Amino acid sequence: MKWGLPVATVERLPRYLRCIELLPPDQPTISSKDLARLSNMNAAGVRKDLSLLGSFGIRGVGYPVDELAARIRKALGLTRDRDVVVVGVGNLGSALANYGGFGKRGFRIVGLYDADPSKIGSTVAGIVVRPVGSLARDAMELDIAVAIIATPAKAAQQVATLLSKAGVPSILNFAPTVLNITGNTYLRQVDLATELQILSFYLGGDR
Amino acid sequence: MKWGLPVATVERLPRYLRCIELLPPDQPTISSKDLARLSNMNAAGVRKDLSLLGSFGIRGVGYPVDELAARIRKALGLTRDRDVVVVGVGNLGSALANYGGFGKRGFRIVGLYDADPSKIGSTVAGIVVRPVGSLARDAMELDIAVAIIATPAKAAQQVATLLSKAGVPSILNFAPTVLNITGNTYLRQVDLATELQILSFYLGGDR
């Protein structure tokens, strides 16, 4: 536990939020049972998670949808915009820079960085790619909340160390490698193979 | 619950497996407490999940690492290779085709498809891009386990319907849009913004 909510709850809140955002705009409430079904959870788990956001469910009715969304956004710190940079502007970095799902959730891409001279100065998603060497200085001037690492695996550790030393508060690493960082930078690892492994379960075949 | 394991457990197993795979090769056992710490879970939850894989933990010692990994792989159906196609060879599709984390986990990219005539016939990650129109026929000849949708949002539904009609057993959708499919195809939605929302919690700022 950290910051007052269990890690597992924090990881489930975005999923609940996503399900709520997809409800018909005129739906006033949602039951824990319905939210559980939409989010692939069980109803008791949903109720336990949401009870940590305060007491606002109505017995026999459910949660007011607007208040539920507002409480989740507040708990996750989504009520303000966050500035994001992407390091590594290959296919993945370019895809992330262009990804439609970030901006509308309040995550603004404000900088792109690469080590490849042929990419520096080019424009991706409306942003001019800057040399990775200028990242440390830029980090002091910008208010970077999250740095996304989308470099090749072998370059990721060096970039992570640089970001951590520059005081960037959080790193999201897409490079398929394990990073070690010290200091106050919070690191999350994205493993795109995880989703395939979950799908594999439902394919059966050797159980 | 489906196929004998709760959905939430299935979603955590890849995470446990990843943590185990990162242990020093000479470590013989791991306690539920250590696995919980590495995987950001609590120890009771880890024990409950792993108890569903059979009784093999040793009280006071932990789980034999090799057997734990083998049981998770078996439960997830990871003991055989799976053939994967990617539909949409833009930046994201190209990144996924080149992603180092798939092949070593037994997910082989066997086909790439796009609707853009300028991309058809080009080679990405060693594979010649084929027209999306040939997907239905190819699906009958190939043994596709998973189709990854990496198209623009507006094209994703049409591709999903085509894949479902062609009998592809599972779809992983990266397009930032909601898909409706009927039939036996299992669909998972990847929302890359989820990870940013989790990070946001640890950044604080408005709580």
Side-chain angles (χ1 to χ4, degrees), chain A residues 11 15 79 188 195 206, chain B residues 11 15 79 188 195 206:
Chain A
E11 294 184 348
R15 185 191 293 206
T79 52
R188 271 188 80 84
E195 292 290 335
D206 59 357
Chain B
E11 294 184 349
R15 185 190 295 204
T79 51
R188 271 188 79 84
E195 292 290 336
D206 57 358

Side-chain angles (χ1 to χ4, degrees), chain B residues 70-185:
Chain B
R71 289 206 185 208
I72 293 176
R73 288 197 190 98
K74 187 158 188 289
L76 290 175
L78 300 176
T79 51
R80 52 170 288 187
D81 286 350
R82 306 281 188 184
D83 287 354
V84 178
V85 298
V86 177
V87 186
V89 193
N91 283 316
L92 182 59
S94 299
L96 293 169
N98 281 295
Y99 186 64
F102 291 160
K104 65 183 177 192
R105 262 73 167 267
F107 296 99
R108 283 186 309 226
I109 310 282
V110 298
L112 302 176
Y113 297 85
D114 206 288
D116 180 350
S118 74
K119 285 181 183 156
I120 295 164
S122 68
T123 301
V124 175
I127 297 168
V128 177
V129 178
R130 289 172 57 76
V132 74
S134 62
L135 191 47
R137 202 179 51 209
D138 286 6
M140 285 192 261
E141 291 169 15
L142 300 171
D143 181 24
I144 302 172
V146 184
I148 296 177
I149 297 181
T151 65
K154 65 181 188 304
Q157 180 63 57
Q158 194 181 348
V159 169
T161 303
L162 187 159
L163 290 165
S164 180
K165 281 188 184 163
V168 172
S170 71
I171 292 174
L172 192 58
N173 179 39
F174 280 85
T177 186
V178 182
L179 300 180
N180 293 302
I181 51 170
T182 52
N184 294 320
T185 302

Side-chain angles (χ1 to χ4, degrees), chain A residues 166-207:
Chain A
V168 172
S170 70
I171 292 174
L172 191 59
N173 179 40
F174 280 85
T177 186
V178 182
L179 299 181
N180 293 302
I181 51 171
T182 53
N184 294 320
T185 302
Y186 183 83
L187 171 70
R188 271 188 80 84
Q189 175 72 39
V190 178
D191 185 344
L192 295 172
T194 294
E195 292 290 335
L196 287 176
Q197 293 181 325
I198 295 169
L199 277 181
S200 174
F201 175 79
Y202 294 97
L203 294 170
D206 59 357
R207 283 193 310 283

Side-chain angles (χ1 to χ4, degrees), chain A residues 40-61:
Chain A
N40 272 342
M41 286 284 298
N42 66 65
V46 167
R47 284 193 296 272
K48 191 173 172 191
D49 282 337
L50 299 186
S51 73
L52 300 172
L53 306 183
S55 175
F56 64 110
I58 305 163
R59 186 174 296 270
V61 175

Side-chain angles (χ1 to χ4, degrees), chain B residues 12-51:
Chain B
R12 286 188 289 264
L13 290 179
R15 185 190 295 204
Y16 299 144
L17 183 59
R18 183 162 184 280
C19 295
I20 298 163
E21 287 171 344
L22 296 173
L23 295 175
D26 56 348
Q27 180 172 333
T29 59
I30 186 165
S31 67
S32 57
K33 192 178 158 191
D34 284 349
L35 184 54
R37 183 178 47 78
L38 293 173
S39 59
N40 272 340
M41 285 283 298
N42 67 65
V46 168
R47 283 192 297 271
K48 191 174 171 192
D49 282 337
L50 299 187
S51 73

